[in-house]
Amino acid sequence: MPTSHSYLEVKQATSNSESLQKQLARKMKLPIFIADAFTARAFRGNPAAVCLLENKLDEDLHQQIAREMNLSETAFIRKLHPTDNFTESSCFGLRWFTPVSEVPLCGHATLASAAVLFHKIKNVNSTLTFATLSGELKARRAEDGIVLDFPLYPAHPQDFHEVEDLIKTAIGDTLVQDIRYSPDTRKLLVRLSDTYDRSFLENLKVNTGNLLQVENTGKVKGLILTLKGEPGGQTQAFDFYSRYFAPWVGVAEDPVTGSAHTVLSSYWSQELGKRQMRAFQCSCRGGELEISLRPDGRVDIRGGAAVVVEGTLTA
């Protein structure tokens, strides 16, 4: 015998169907870009995803999207006021997520965010201000790139024996000339011996797989390997070189790292007696940074960016 349905049951079923259709119609669509930062050419430098948020995003979706993008950083730019717009406003909120966690500071994703606003959204302002977990950060247009106004963090002498296991796990018996620690950023700076050259740093095999077991106190969140630069010859002269590793936040090796240079700039300025420097991060992608220490105790970091992907994220 056919099952009979009351009018209320039919009406409820219809209402549920209409509600589902409305939910599907309201699928989230976010403008999303990928920009290679600290380079003028595509497929070099450090790629970051950049999401533009017209409306507030559910908190857990930030991490889910970053995990989906699977880049070292995904940046989320949000309006600070309902009347703001991405073309004319000059102040925005900015957050950064690795595939596993939110981070308090990211240079290359800030550069990528500014590049998207300046070059793709055609923002009319010469300087943008971002409200972040590290305070206000500024990005301004320059003839040959974008200049980031970032904090400058000191690094203090670090007792070797306290971090000996970490260093030996990472680089074995490689000769070390100096060790510093930045409590503000929880980054450990390890300067390799001046007897090594750039090619040595580029080819150095770094073991990041076991670092989480060796250092699990939370004191260290990033490992900087750095080397004094060489005078120019056949190649461009750089004041210092570096590589950066952060398995503690889900990034085995970061290709080019603006936040690491807030520490490197402070260190090498003291070591070299210079306030203007050129730096190269020796990852397989490579990236160039121009450093200028400011009179107000901050640092300007200049770099280029190439937007390589633009589209819509649907979820």
Side-chain angles (χ1 to χ4, degrees), residues 26-30 32 51 53 55-70 74-76 95-102 313-315:
R26 286 201 303 268
K27 264 196 167 184
M28 178 182 64
K29 293 183 181 295
L30 298 177
I32 192 163
C51 279
L53 303 181
N55 303 296
K56 189 175 180 180
L57 191 65
D58 288 347
E59 189 61 28
D60 61 338
L61 280 175
H62 295 84
Q63 192 62 69
Q64 291 178 25
I65 291 170
R67 190 177 301 119
E68 185 77 9
M69 299 310 298
N70 200 33
T74 296
F76 296 88
R95 296 172 71 181
W96 313 276
F97 288 76
T98 76
V100 301
S101 66
E102 185 172 11
L313 187 149
T314 304

Side-chain angles (χ1 to χ4, degrees), residues 14 62 194:
T14 304
H62 295 84
D194 288 351

Side-chain angles (χ1 to χ4, degrees), residues 41-185:
R41 294 187 292 149
F43 315 127
R44 301 279 292 173
N46 199 353
V50 178
C51 279
L52 302 183
L53 303 181
E54 289 282 352
N55 303 296
K56 189 175 180 180
L57 191 65
D58 288 347
E59 189 61 28
D60 61 338
L61 280 175
H62 295 84
Q63 192 62 69
Q64 291 178 25
I65 291 170
R67 190 177 301 119
E68 185 77 9
M69 299 310 298
N70 200 33
L71 297 171
S72 60
E73 306 288 346
T74 296
F76 296 88
I77 307 174
R78 69 184 186 281
K79 298 177 181 179
L80 295 177
H81 307 99
T83 55
D84 289 347
N85 69 75
F86 290 117
T87 304
E88 297 177 352
S89 300
S90 62
C91 297
F92 302 96
L94 182 62
R95 296 172 71 181
W96 313 276
F97 288 76
T98 76
V100 301
S101 66
E102 185 172 11
V103 294
L105 181 63
C106 180
H108 86 276
T110 304
L111 181 59
S113 298
V116 167
L117 290 172
F118 283 144
H119 304 319
K120 290 298 178 179
I121 308 301
K122 306 300 182 186
N123 188 283
V124 298
N125 296 283
S126 59
T127 300
L128 299 173
T129 301
F130 296 111
T132 80
L133 289 176
S134 291
E136 284 195 350
L137 306 177
K138 295 183 184 296
R140 69 178 185 271
R141 299 176 189 266
E143 285 186 14
D144 52 350
I146 293 170
V147 178
L148 304 176
D149 171 1
F150 266 36
L152 188 66
Y153 293 117
H156 309 294
Q158 168 66 49
D159 181 73
F160 173 72
H161 296 293
E162 291 182 13
V163 292
E164 181 177 5
D165 289 346
L166 188 161
I167 293 173
K168 287 195 172 297
T169 298
I171 59 175
D173 294 325
T174 302
L175 297 177
V176 171
Q177 185 154 329
D178 198 3
I179 307 170
R180 302 292 178 100
Y181 177 71
S182 164
D184 298 293
T185 64

Side-chain angles (χ1 to χ4, degrees), residues 259-280:
S259 63
H261 283 79
T262 63
V263 179
L264 283 161
S265 301
S266 174
Y267 175 78
W268 282 111
S269 176
Q270 293 179 345
E271 291 295 304
L272 301 175
K274 301 177 71 171
R275 298 184 66 83
Q276 313 285 331
M277 296 173 287
R278 296 184 70 246
F280 187 81

